[in-house]
Amino acid sequence: MNRTLLYFLLLILASCQTAKQDGTSIYFAGEIVNPTNDEIVLYKGDLVVDTAQLDGENRFAFELDTIEEGLYHFYHAPEEQYIYIEKGDSLQIRLNTVDFDESLVFSGSNEVVNNFLVELFLAMEQEEELVYSYYALEPLEFVIKIDSLMDIKLKNLDALIEENELSPSAYKLAHAGIIYGSYISKEAYPFYHKKKNKDKTIHDLPDNFYDYRKEINYNGNGLTYYRPYYNFMKYHLGNLSYMSCKKDCAMKPEEMGKQLHFNQHKLKLIDSLIPENELRDNLYRNVALDYLLKYDSEENIEIFINDFQKLSGNNRHMREINNLYQGIRNLQPQHDLPEVWVQDVDGNSVSLPEIGKGKEVVFYFWSGPEQRHFHNMTRRINYLKEKYPNYMFVGINVRTDKSKWMNILETSNLNKTEQFWTKDFEDVAHTLVIYDPNRSIITKDGKIVNAFANVYRSFPE
Ligand SMILES: [Zn+2]
């Protein structure tokens, strides 16, 4: 649908917005067409607020007595989307999982800001390629393009608040989505520009290029779990770390890429910029995950973990980070494959070491509802099978209903003896340290050869 038309429709919809209920309780209900799961989980940040089951007509409802105002998200596996809730809100959604985000429509109190957030999400997704093409431009031209994309969205928001009443915090959220979504591109510009133009060095930037940084809010304040803001913070820290290393450490560019050193810069920056709060903990966690998953030497990892402990020993994610660290150590070459249990098509339980015994195996992972990933993965695996006939390629299906998995096996030409299903994704993800959907594990006779392989990058063409 045409974007202007859609905004127009939203304005019409908005004008018949229903009133809030009295009191502080909230009501959130809706209908899921083509459900991929039988429940909806409501989250505030990384905490589950409540879970609702779908009824026979695929409808669900949450009624919550007291609830903190702000940004939430609801999860209908494997997808999720934001919902902004204020006291007394009564909100309904309708969505079709075939086009999850595109089909999502809110109605009820606060429908205006919620529909705007979805619209903004889709607009940004649609602009990604365009913005990527702008990275080739010179700095000033680039800024003009990016600012004009931002201005269109800000004007739409202005038009929205002329016709509707938006609370100050709802407005702030929508506004933050627009500006931080746009600032990300500016933080990324020096690096993408260099890459796109195959430059040897980072481009000199005009003095006012980073002027918007004066407006950055480092407190999180209700935005910590909002992607445009959080992703901005990640890019921003990456940019600042690179620049300060370049300036202060007099490193040669090739040395700057060294993981430990660069990540130490990031830790220090978070310490100096972000006050003690959830945002700070999450950003620290992000640096740790990023670093640990790229696997450096054991010695370097220990230095990193020590630094981390000093700066953020009481991090709310400390247990996860320690487990990850332990998990990674267990997955080093020559170690035995961990005892992870999966099921074959006949429902028999088999452990990964059993599957790998006496063979060279590449384990890879896929999930039923993620069709694009499944198709790409299948194509890639078929190619690799021909190229590397000495390996057995074993698919582990995760996060899929068992009957759905069986259905896919029937209709997709996969070799059933090479396919396994797992019920407990959390356990598998945790033990095998799966954060990347293209991750694969190469083993020989049940022992690990490379537990951090990637189906696209780890097999020479
Ligand atoms: Zn440095």
Side-chain angles (χ1 to χ4, degrees):
M1 199 178 343
N2 176 306
R3 221 121 276 274
T4 334
L5 182 63
L6 195 53
Y7 275 117
F8 185 63
L9 280 177
L10 283 178
L11 285 177
I12 297 177
L13 270 175
S15 52
C16 40
Q17 171 162 215
T18 48
K20 287 188 183 200
Q21 301 168 311
D22 288 333
T24 57
S25 66
I26 72 120
Y27 180 73
F28 166 42
E31 184 186 351
I32 311 279
V33 182
N34 298 313
T36 44
N37 200 290
D38 54 11
E39 59 181 30
I40 308 272
V41 188
L42 184 66
Y43 282 87
K44 174 93 178 134
D46 55 8
L47 299 175
V48 173
V49 176
D50 201 2
T51 302
Q53 300 295 319
L54 290 184
D55 67 13
E57 280 152 352
N58 298 332
R59 303 190 61 88
F60 70 92
F62 289 95
E63 279 187 84
L64 301 161
D65 279 344
T66 48
I67 193 164
E68 200 189 323
E69 237 169 65
L71 188 68
Y72 289 70
H73 66 274
F74 62 92
Y75 179 64
H76 179 64
E79 305 227 45
E80 59 186 19
Q81 199 40 277
Y82 302 109
I83 175 169
Y84 174 78
I85 306 177
E86 291 178 354
K87 291 190 167 67
D89 267 342
S90 171
L91 270 161
Q92 302 253 358
I93 59 162
R94 197 185 137 85
L95 72 83
N96 187 333
T97 61
V98 175
D99 282 305
F100 195 94
D101 304 315
E102 287 80 357
S103 70
L104 174 60
V105 180
F106 288 87
S107 57
S109 59
N110 256 326
E111 63 185 18
V112 178
V113 67
N114 275 300
N115 284 322
F116 186 82
L117 291 182
V118 177
E119 188 54 28
L120 185 61
F121 172 89
L122 291 171
M124 297 223 173
E125 205 177 56
Q126 219 173 42
E127 276 167 10
E128 249 170 48
E129 226 169 293
L130 182 67
V131 170
Y132 191 70
S133 73
Y134 291 161
Y135 287 125
L137 299 172
E138 289 303 292
L140 283 176
E141 288 172 86
F142 175 79
V143 167
I144 291 170
K145 294 280 190 197
I146 295 298
D147 284 351
S148 92
L149 287 176
M150 178 173 79
D151 288 341
I152 295 169
K153 298 186 190 81
L154 288 173
K155 282 206 182 91
N156 282 321
L157 181 60
D158 285 345
L160 209 67
I161 55 169
E162 259 171 49
E163 306 281 329
N164 305 275
E165 250 188 69
L166 238 59
S167 71
S169 42
Y171 175 81
K172 245 174 76 186
L173 180 64
H175 187 260
I178 298 172
I179 61 171
Y180 287 106
S182 159
Y183 297 165
I184 287 177
S185 322
K186 294 187 184 173
E187 294 291 328
Y189 172 78
F191 309 98
Y192 284 131
H193 181 75
K194 174 171 176 273
K195 196 169 135 197
K196 276 216 129 177
N197 293 4
K198 301 196 172 66
D199 292 344
K200 286 261 180 321
T201 53
I202 294 277
H203 201 299
D204 280 331
L205 298 174
D207 288 340
N208 58 359
F209 188 87
Y210 292 121
D211 267 2
Y212 62 89
R213 282 182 176 172
K214 287 177 218 139
E215 293 162 40
I216 298 174
N217 149 28
Y218 290 103
N219 292 310
N221 291 352
L223 298 173
T224 299
Y225 291 89
Y226 190 35
R227 283 280 148 202
Y229 175 78
Y230 189 67
N231 287 345
F232 165 79
M233 281 297 160
K234 291 197 284 185
Y235 273 90
H236 181 49
L237 288 169
N239 181 313
L240 292 178
S241 302
Y242 184 92
M243 298 306 171
S244 75
C245 185
K246 194 172 164 218
K247 192 166 145 274
D248 303 333
C249 305
M251 287 271 194
K252 294 193 191 92
E254 62 272 18
E255 285 178 331
M256 282 171 63
K258 290 249 169 68
Q259 284 307 317
L260 176 63
H261 178 85
F262 188 62
N263 282 294
Q264 283 172 319
H265 271 290
K266 279 194 180 172
L267 293 181
K268 264 181 256 160
L269 259 168
I270 296 172
D271 183 46
S272 65
L273 278 180
I274 319 282
E276 204 86 35
N277 58 22
E278 221 167 318
L279 174 64
R280 178 179 163 110
D281 277 7
N282 291 357
L283 288 168
Y284 272 133
R285 169 188 179 268
N286 180 258
V287 175
L289 256 53
D290 228 35
Y291 173 69
L292 291 174
L293 288 170
K294 279 181 191 134
Y295 199 74
D296 204 347
S297 70
E298 181 105 3
E299 198 188 333
N300 279 351
I301 290 185
E302 224 153 277
I303 299 172
F304 177 86
I305 291 282
N306 277 336
D307 282 5
F308 190 95
Q309 288 275 13
K310 258 179 240 153
L311 292 169
S312 188
N314 58 352
N315 194 300
R316 55 194 267 123
H317 307 290
M318 205 62 228
R319 237 184 67 195
E320 181 195 8
I321 291 161
N322 280 328
N323 284 340
L324 176 64
Y325 177 35
Q326 201 47 51
I328 287 171
R329 293 173 78 168
N330 293 339
L331 290 172
Q332 290 318 297
Q334 297 308 322
H335 282 234
D336 290 332
L337 251 174
E339 288 262 316
V340 169
W341 292 86
V342 292
Q343 285 184 25
D344 67 13
V345 270
D346 302 318
N348 304 312
S349 285
V350 221
S351 73
L352 296 193
E354 267 177 81
I355 299 171
K357 212 172 163 198
K359 302 184 202 82
E360 290 183 88
V361 178
V362 177
F363 292 95
Y364 65 94
F365 305 87
W366 61 280
S367 152
E370 288 161 50
Q371 292 200 14
R372 200 187 310 158
H373 177 256
F374 171 65
H375 287 301
N376 291 340
M377 185 59 111
T378 311
R379 201 183 314 131
R380 180 67 184 167
I381 295 297
N382 285 338
Y383 169 81
L384 291 176
K385 268 182 168 177
E386 276 194 23
K387 195 131 189 178
Y388 296 90
N390 50 322
Y391 284 109
M392 176 179 177
F393 288 82
V394 171
I396 309 284
N397 175 278
V398 295
R399 272 189 293 212
T400 312
D401 182 64
K402 193 174 178 186
S403 60
K404 201 166 271 171
W405 171 66
M406 301 278 277
N407 258 332
I408 298 174
L409 289 191
E410 287 307 328
T411 52
S412 64
N413 264 335
L414 290 171
N415 181 342
K416 286 182 199 160
T417 60
E418 296 167 350
Q419 294 298 323
F420 297 87
W421 176 79
T422 171
K423 195 176 178 174
D424 191 352
F425 172 64
E426 294 302 321
D427 177 52
V428 174
H430 181 181
T431 316
L432 300 179
V433 193
I434 301 168
Y435 282 83
D436 174 356
N438 296 321
R439 168 77 181 288
S440 64
I441 300 177
I442 304 173
T443 65
K444 189 174 182 179
D445 196 17
K447 287 205 186 304
I448 288 164
V449 175
N450 178 3
F452 295 93
N454 176 298
V455 293
Y456 292 97
R457 294 194 302 266
S458 307
F459 297 87
E461 296 297 317

